[in-house]
Amino acid sequence: MPVDIKNFLTHFFVTGYPLIYGADASIILATVAILFVLTYFKKWKWLWTEWLTTVDHKKIGIMYLIAALLMMFRGGVDAILMRTQLMLPNMHFLGPQHYNEIFTTHGTLMILFVAMPFIFALFNIVVPLQIGARDVAFPYLNAISFWLFFFAALLLNLSFVIGGSPDAGWSSYPPLAGAEFDKGPGENYYLLSLQITGIGSMATGINFLVTILKMRAPGLTLMRLPLFTWSVVGACILIIVSFPALTAALALLLIDRVAGAHFFTMLAGGMPMMYVNLFWIWGHPEVYIVVLPAFGVFSEVVATFSKKRIFGYTSMVASIMVITVISYFVWVHHFFTMGAGPGVNSFFALATMAIAIPTGVKVFNWLFTMYRGRIRITAPMLWTLGFIPNFAIGGATGVLLAVAPADYQYHNSYFLIAHFHQVLIGGTIYGMLAGMYYWWPKMFGHRLSEGLAKHAFWWFNLGFYICFMPQYALGLMGMTRRIYTYPKGLGWGPYNFIATVGAYMMAIGFVLIVANVVYSAFYGERDTTGDIWDARTLEWSLPSPAPHYNFAVIPHVDRRDAWWVMKQERKEGKTTLDLQQEPIRPIHMPNNSGRPFILGVCFFTVGFGFAFSWYALVVLGFLAVAVLLLVRSFEYEDSHYIPVEEIKETEAAYGRL
């Protein structure tokens, strides 16, 4: 092989680590297997027409969910590798550079490519059905958002085997992430993948806020909205206001790296602290972007499985909006030690502590809802009950970190690691898993196995405590985060060993969750009622899974818990199904389109070109984006009507006519 080509290939592909060669082999095998299955079973056309070109919010939600679980597997493997490296003193399981790359991608994936698609999955699957809408406000844009996220995730993961992963931490502070100290394409991958998925996230925030404000069923006033939908309102406002700060920070750092600017280079007149401020102006609201929808899930689950109206509905709505506002006044607590002075630190300390008040209101309301309720301990309820002590500990340790003088001790220690995992896993992941179990029958028409679900919960929940409780002690003993290894004699070994055992138990829990998904696809209890939990909100008035037009007749709502009220009135003989009272009319729906998928490919091309400074590829990608947008602007036939006969046939097949 010529030397130039050999040098190019060794520079282009990551080499030198056995784990990388294993990843290469697994990527090749998985790709070949997928191509073989699609070809052998002649599923290429099905894949294109049913999924890749779909604008149906329910299918887009399912794709988000699958992507979130896949990314959770990747991020979880990273976590296992890190915990294995720290299991014993003086371990050399990973090299220092490899360790830096893994903890960078672990944090980035878990926040932006697991938590975000998980909440977007539930937005898509639940919100239009809960508000009595047939679709989201901008279905075409919704599909674009998903494909931007998907190809951004692909771009970030590709860095593992091509060019090199980012290694400056998930927050990528300059000057460490600047061109001077981080010369490879890894940091470019990070900046571009976050930028691309950020565009999609902004569009999703706008899309769902408009959907909720403008497309509610008649009579569904704001103060009659289900609490999950209210939590989506709060999350969308946070997305719309906070993501521009991240976009600006990433764009300026990218310009620093590829164009030699000095926005964040102190010796050239720049200011790296400006990046830190911009990052956390987005970063701390991001915590609430992903945890507010989890609060919404818990509200729905507690009310359904306690057979009671949610206690203190008005205070629950108020607490969501108070959290939405206050979360913008806490970002400086991430760098109390920067020397901002007692006045600034005191303000942000008090704001941080204040956010515990509306959060506490929600927890007490869930407890009061359960009080004297007829509680059913199902899988969604288990994850909800498991969340409460987790979040109480995470909240209490958060208040400790909010005390500025104490933060000088805790900052950058393992105490902080334990705290934010306690909040983000104990809050967001528990919430999303509760939501997944709860709405799974609505998505696929069958429920997940309760037995496997309970095994998975206990493995994961016990492993969670065994993993993170020792880390509080490690932080107080002086173990700092981001360390690659540690010597003997510090007393950290036993705690790290126990924490690693807990991480393995959580991994077993995740494997059981995936096993449940596969097992239940074949043997899960089928839902023939559409209302398998005897629930309270409108999505349960539809068959499972819901038809692609959602509602044959848009329901009228005159109070909260609309579906529960309809069921009670029907039992008392006061009313029948609305479907039989209203005439069915043709339904206006958007056409499927392949352009959102192709747009995702184009943005991927732009990102890949920028990562290696191959500007011809960048120009080609941008030109293709411009052409696609131009073609879209001249598209006049982008929707169709579903005829009444087809609707009646579908409803009759469900036994509703």
Side-chain angles (χ1 to χ4, degrees), residues 79 357 381 470:
I357 298 169
M381 196 65 180

Side-chain angles (χ1 to χ4, degrees), residues 171-212:
S171 52
S172 283
Y173 289 166
L176 185 61
E180 184 182 357
F181 297 108
D182 199 335
K183 297 183 185 300
E187 190 58 30
N188 294 346
Y189 271 119
Y190 168 91
L191 295 170
L192 289 153
S193 59
L194 264 60
Q195 199 70 282
I196 293 169
T197 194
I199 297 169
S201 297
M202 273 288 292
T204 299
I206 294 167
N207 206 346
F208 277 87
L209 188 60
V210 174
T211 300
I212 294 167

Side-chain angles (χ1 to χ4, degrees), residues 218 264 273 303 384 386 400 507 535:
F264 304 128
M273 274 309 297
T384 302
L400 291 177

Side-chain angles (χ1 to χ4, degrees), residues 40 70 86 237 326 489 627 653:
Y40 184 80
L70 286 172
L86 294 171
I237 292 171
I326 297 180
V627 169

Side-chain angles (χ1 to χ4, degrees), residues 258-331:
V258 302
H262 296 289
F263 291 110
F264 304 128
T265 311
M266 185 172 285
L267 294 178
M271 174 51 71
M273 274 309 297
M274 189 55 68
Y275 175 90
V276 178
N277 275 282
L278 285 169
F279 184 88
W280 286 110
I281 285 173
W282 161 80
H284 205 82
E286 169 67 13
V287 173
Y288 296 97
I289 288 171
V290 296
V291 85
L292 276 178
F295 291 168
V297 171
F298 296 137
S299 301
E300 304 294 346
V301 168
V302 165
T304 295
F305 294 108
S306 301
K307 282 215 167 187
K308 283 177 67 180
R309 294 185 69 179
I310 197 78
F311 181 88
Y313 174 90
T314 306
S315 63
M316 292 290 264
V317 173
S319 65
I320 289 171
M321 300 318 293
V322 169
I323 291 171
T324 302
V325 173
I326 297 180
S327 64
Y328 285 107
F329 300 106
V330 299
W331 85 89

